[in-house]
Amino acid sequence: MLECCVDSVESAVEAEKGGADRLELCAALMIGGISPGIALFEQVRERCALPVRVLLRPRFGDFLYSRYEFNILRREVEIFREKGADGIVIGCLMQDGNLDMEQMRELTGAAGNMKITLHRAFDVCADPERAYEQAGELGIDAVLTSGQKSSCLAGMPLLKKLSGIQQKTGGPKIMAGAGVTPDVIRQFLAETDITQYHMSAKKTIDSAMRYRKDSVPMGLPMMDEYSLIRTDGQVVAEARKALDEREADRNARR
């Protein structure tokens, strides 16, 4: 299963063309993703036939949320459920680094029949095995993780361990994310039992603006206002090919 993280209609269209199975929709992917707007969700739904899970995160930064921030999250769960999202992507932590089970139960309850991914709040939690068990108790469908490292390759040992637990217990699916490329997928398929992958397949394209005033930044000064980040459909297609080749090989061995 190949999930693509996108923050624009253009990227969603490219991900679908490349052969993605599902979209994770967010805004501001360059800062790790925050909750998208309703209009973006509606446009993606109109242009793409893929299932959409919506990332819900009220701000950049950690996952310890104030009551105001949590109220926003809970309302967003209700809104996107009403709008017909296939799933949500959430995660709340307490000060001690453990899952905030009270908040998580509220959000999963509000989700109704939507599928739920525990996002990379998991990668900064204090006890990943306990958090994985708790995710199962909450009825969460998938855990998106880099194995608590900056990339999934570096986190492969923990990902292998969690995948083994998943196979024994039937718990949430392990979805490898962070630094996923077609070659990384091939390496994981050769060395692990993980079959779900999350990638953004980002490429930078130049803005069509001809008149430019480079001395007036709209955000972080180190970011180029005239560079756009988009999903590269060709990279998605190569990742799809890697997964399809592995599936064909497995079928041939049966």
Side-chain angles (χ1 to χ4, degrees), residues 10-20 23 48 50 233-234 236-237 240:
E10 292 87 347
S11 288
V13 170
E14 282 297 306
E16 184 173 42
K17 286 180 181 176
L23 301 176
C48 296
L50 295 178
Q234 292 183 343
V236 177
R240 173 82 272 153

Side-chain angles (χ1 to χ4, degrees), residues 183-197:
D183 285 340
V184 166
I185 289 175
R186 291 187 181 95
Q187 185 171 342
F188 263 80
L189 291 174
E191 300 180 27
T192 77
D193 295 320
I194 294 171
T195 58
Q196 298 212 357
Y197 297 90

Side-chain angles (χ1 to χ4, degrees), residues 40-162:
L40 174 58
F41 173 78
E42 290 174 340
Q43 284 293 303
V44 168
R45 271 295 203 206
E46 184 177 329
R47 303 292 178 180
C48 296
L50 295 178
V52 179
R53 294 196 186 187
V54 181
L55 172 70
L56 299 180
R57 187 182 178 209
R59 57 163 171 79
F60 167 81
D62 64 34
F63 306 100
L64 177 66
Y65 295 124
S66 70
R67 175 50 53 179
Y68 298 120
E69 290 169 336
F70 179 73
N71 287 342
I72 292 169
L73 272 177
R74 195 184 191 288
R75 180 61 186 135
E76 286 180 329
V77 172
E78 295 169 349
I79 290 169
F80 282 104
R81 185 193 68 217
E82 293 162 3
K83 286 290 183 179
D86 299 284
I88 54 172
V89 184
I90 55 173
C92 305
L93 298 179
M94 298 189 296
Q95 287 181 317
D96 63 4
N98 288 302
L99 281 183
D100 189 322
M101 291 297 282
E102 182 179 347
Q103 289 187 345
M104 291 295 290
R105 285 193 186 97
E106 234 184 291
L107 296 180
T108 55
N113 294 326
M114 288 191 293
K115 296 289 188 180
I116 301 172
T117 300
L118 172 58
H119 61 43
R120 293 188 63 211
F122 181 87
D123 283 326
V124 292
C125 77
D127 186 340
E129 290 186 48
R130 181 185 179 195
Y132 180 79
E133 181 180 345
Q134 290 175 321
E137 293 170 6
L138 291 164
I140 285 172
D141 174 61
V143 174
L144 170 61
T145 173
S146 62
Q148 296 209 315
K149 299 293 183 182
S150 60
S151 73
C152 61
L153 269 183
M156 188 185 285
L158 179 57
L159 286 164
K160 283 183 176 180
K161 187 174 186 179
L162 293 170

